[in-house]
Amino acid sequence: MIAFLGMGLLGSNFVRAMINKGEQVNVWNRTTARATAMEQYGAKAFANITDAVKDADVVHIVVKDDAAVNEVLAAAKSALKPGAMIIDHTTTSVEGAIQRTADWKAEGFTYLHAPVFMGPQNALESTGTMLVSGDQNVIAKVEPALAKMTGKVMNFGTTEGKAAGIKLIGNLFLITFTAGITDTLSLAKALDISVDDIKNLFDTWNPGAMLPNRLARMTAGNFENPSWELNMARKDAGLMMAEAEKGNVPLNVIPSVAAEMDRWIEKGHGANDWTVIAKDAITRS
């Protein structure tokens, strides 16, 4: 039997998908109404967390952060079935994931951090990506069940906490990507260019397709044969900021990027490919 702690958008849809696959699932949430709302789908809701977990072989949890994970699991600890497995899908710190793995092992339980790149609809449809790392014997034992929850399980090897780090890296990209779109729309507003025109542009020209090659070029560390010189990229960034200022529209991302460009130009890299601004990031001490 499975217990699931945390009935937010992700957790509740994970539970619905499990029930659709024939699993019996106990659910708990701090706000009890969110747990009882899952009974219409076939879950068994509990107001007391210890009642929810006491017969569970596997306890899934997805809550806000490290502090919430620690608090919820501490409240459940006294009723956990001997040898129960705890699978945590919360986005947490690397240090927290490592510490919980060790702490719960010392208590006779197995803790596995398995964060996800999935939205609520993905959880309901069992599509998306789940990340794991650490004890490969543990991962081999649970991977078939995890694969039923998501379209893909990515195993990043034996390093504890690495899955947590990969999750943070992915989320950082999503945040910066969205912030870049915000600047794009802001510049369009300043230039009186419609959102429909922007959509038409990206329907035809897909810069996202460049990502694998761009990453490969940047990490190769060869900036001597530019396809876009840093000086020219900085000139364009200046034009963008000037147009935004004339339109009285703030940009959030580009000014910071321009400042970094200036730093590298001052260091004598103006004639290099503009991706030289990543040089420090890819250099290992």
Side-chain angles (χ1 to χ4, degrees), residues 61-267:
I61 179 171
V62 55
V63 288
K64 181 183 178 182
D65 53 21
D66 287 283
V69 174
N70 291 337
E71 180 183 344
V72 169
L73 292 180
K77 179 180 174 182
S78 65
L80 287 173
K81 191 174 180 179
M85 175 165 288
I86 301 163
I87 303 178
D88 181 10
H89 306 291
T90 308
T91 300
T92 72
S93 67
V94 173
E95 181 181 7
I98 294 171
Q99 190 64 53
R100 278 185 292 276
T101 303
D103 289 348
W104 284 98
K105 183 176 182 179
E107 296 286 348
F109 301 97
T110 301
Y111 170 94
L112 178 67
H113 191 226
V116 299
F117 290 119
M118 299 171 70
Q121 191 63 29
N122 297 115
L124 184 60
E125 297 172 350
S126 300
T127 60
T129 303
M130 187 174 292
L131 316 175
V132 293
S133 68
D135 189 324
Q136 294 298 295
N137 290 325
V138 171
I139 291 170
K141 182 178 179 181
V142 300
E143 191 166 1
L146 297 182
K148 292 179 182 179
M149 297 174 65
T150 183
K152 186 174 185 180
V153 177
M154 296 186 69
N155 185 344
F156 286 94
T158 59
T159 303
E160 298 289 357
K162 191 171 185 179
I166 295 291
K167 169 63 173 176
L168 292 177
I169 289 168
N171 277 9
L172 181 145
F173 182 85
L174 292 176
I175 290 170
T176 54
F177 180 68
T178 301
I181 294 173
T182 301
D183 268 14
T184 299
L185 294 173
S186 294
L187 182 58
K189 181 179 180 180
L191 295 170
D192 198 26
I193 293 173
S194 72
V195 172
D196 285 341
D197 284 332
I198 299 302
K199 290 178 179 177
N200 287 337
L201 170 64
F202 291 118
D203 281 344
T204 301
W205 174 60
N206 178 15
M210 303 177 188
L211 177 58
N213 287 337
R214 180 62 56 86
L215 181 62
R217 175 170 186 149
M218 292 170 70
T219 54
N222 180 12
F223 308 107
E224 302 302 319
N225 298 305
S227 60
W228 192 14
E229 287 187 2
L230 177 57
N231 282 328
M232 296 302 290
R234 177 61 180 88
K235 179 266 296 181
D236 289 356
L239 292 173
M240 298 167 199
M241 291 188 291
E243 293 289 355
E245 185 175 0
K246 282 191 289 185
N248 196 30
V249 175
L251 298 179
N252 297 311
V253 176
I254 289 299
S256 294
V257 176
E260 185 66 5
M261 289 175 169
D262 289 339
R263 188 171 76 88
W264 283 92
I265 289 170
E266 289 171 5
K267 291 167 67 172

